[in-house]
Amino acid sequence: MLKRFCWSCILTLSFASVCGAQTLRQEADNASLLVGTAVRPAQLSETAYVSTLAREFNMLEAEDAMKWWILRPDAGTYDFRQGDEIVRFAQAHQMKVRGHCLVWAQYNPKWLTQAHFTDRQLAHLLHEHITKVMKHYAGEVFAWDVVNEALDEHGNVRDSLWYNRPGIGLQGEGTAYIERVFRWAHRADKHALLFYNEAEGEGLGRKSDAVYAMVKDFKQRGVPINGIGLQLHISKPDVDIAAIAANIARLTALGVQIHVTELDVSLPVDSSGGLLHPDDVNRQAEIYRGIVQTCLQYPGCTAIQTWGFTDKYSWIGSFSRHTRGWALPFDRNYDPKPAYRAVLDALSAGRSVPR
Ligand code: XIL
């Protein structure tokens, strides 16, 4: 269907400008949704990377550049260069920036993890880190993953540097340390949206029950939390979309937003990166479609982000020791895959009647 009169259709019949065919970004704008991707600054000098990024997305997140190990080469230094580069790119292309992540047990520098700080020292370091980083990016990063992956598969608070090894002084008190850092984050930047980001707890189960209970408790007691990030690194073919919908429904009913933060759907590959089962491509497309359609059903689901956009730079290869891959909407040559088309179709259908 011809959606609107489109001069670019007349001028050029290039990929994204065939009449009626929009980009993800245009369709997401129409649906009042943010569509984002994780980015690596090293690739911002590559023409195909940059043009695809600017054309298809209205939001970016640093895949690694705002993690402790990049930002904090040593205890006394903040190195914002990579993060700033991403912010500059986003601003030049009218994109929003999500920040990721202020508190995580992983990807911390050795000077931090191996120094045997006391809990008082750690509390001081973390408070200073959150304050400095959030103030540096105030007005530029609109939403932060304040805490990442703090719960285990049973829904218990994970052992970690920040919780109990030695922790920031709230060891043994469950989510109290999460509450503390959300309060620090709110003080650092009152305008930033504060998210708790979690993996493998997107449907219904013990982990998502624990996230739900935490959000409910925080909301009741006025702890500043604005959203939940559902990572959605999908590696199994049998995704329970209905359970994800039910989880989004109950979380948004508490008054928090949902961002799908790290979507990718990895498939089994052979040693040269080829698909083991070519038909998986269609199944993958349907999973992408289902996730986007589900988000669009809930007004509180305000962003969908993939973890990278081209298979050329997906983290899945190294993470799976090259047994999985092909996870993203664009292939290694930046050609759109069926997953891209499915996302585009789902976005162009727009938001369904609000629940
Ligand atoms: C990954 C990055 O993609 C890799 O480049 C890096 O080596 C390790 O971290 N959950 C998260 C992300 O919240 O930060 C992780 O990103 C993937 C899993």
Side-chain angles (χ1 to χ4, degrees), residues 28-223:
D29 284 344
N30 292 343
S32 302
L33 184 80
L34 293 167
V35 65
T37 184
V39 293
R40 299 180 173 182
Q43 266 62 62
L44 289 176
S45 51
E46 187 182 328
T47 310
Y49 187 92
V50 164
S51 61
T52 310
L53 192 55
R55 185 184 71 224
E56 299 291 343
F57 300 96
N58 57 21
M59 183 176 83
L60 299 181
E61 176 166 316
E63 182 164 346
D64 291 302
M66 295 186 191
K67 291 174 182 162
W68 271 78
W69 63 282
I70 306 264
L71 281 182
R72 305 296 304 279
D74 59 61
T77 310
Y78 286 78
D79 183 349
F80 291 113
R81 284 173 300 178
Q82 290 192 35
D84 289 356
E85 203 182 330
I86 290 172
V87 169
R88 275 198 302 276
F89 181 89
Q91 288 174 341
H93 296 89
Q94 294 81 45
M95 298 157 139
K96 292 214 167 204
V97 183
R98 286 190 98 258
H100 173 85
C101 51
L102 297 165
V103 184
W104 191 14
Q106 295 185 50
Y107 299 99
N108 292 313
K110 286 208 174 91
W111 66 260
L112 177 68
T113 54
Q114 295 182 352
H116 302 292
F117 289 114
T118 65
D119 56 2
R120 284 176 72 96
Q121 288 170 324
L122 264 192
H124 176 76
L125 273 167
L126 185 56
H127 179 254
E128 185 202 75
H129 180 85
I130 290 174
T131 306
K132 283 217 166 132
V133 174
M134 288 187 76
K135 283 192 184 298
H136 180 85
Y137 287 115
E140 298 179 333
V141 168
F142 83 107
W144 276 99
D145 289 334
V146 179
V147 177
N148 197 32
E149 299 182 17
L151 301 177
D152 67 17
E153 68 271 30
H154 306 292
N156 299 320
V157 176
R158 272 183 203 282
D159 294 335
S160 78
L161 175 71
W162 305 118
Y163 174 48
N164 59 351
R165 293 184 174 173
I168 58 168
L170 296 164
Q171 43 281 75
E173 296 182 42
T175 58
Y177 92 93
I178 301 174
E179 172 179 345
R180 174 80 43 95
V181 297
F182 270 81
R183 291 191 189 279
W184 288 343
H186 183 60
R187 245 178 271 149
D189 180 358
K190 291 202 169 30
H191 302 291
L193 297 176
L194 307 182
F195 277 70
Y196 174 77
N197 194 45
E198 189 53 272
E200 294 169 352
E202 295 94 1
L204 298 173
R206 286 157 86 175
K207 193 189 269 190
S208 66
D209 286 351
V211 172
Y212 177 77
M214 178 177 76
V215 173
K216 194 169 178 192
D217 169 47
F218 282 8
K219 280 285 179 191
Q220 275 167 354
R221 293 187 300 105
V223 180

Side-chain angles (χ1 to χ4, degrees), residues 202-204 230 232 234 239-249 291 294:
E202 295 94 1
L204 298 173
L230 304 180
L232 278 163
I234 296 173
V239 186
D240 189 347
I241 299 277
I244 296 170
N247 194 34
I248 293 177
I291 299 294
T294 301

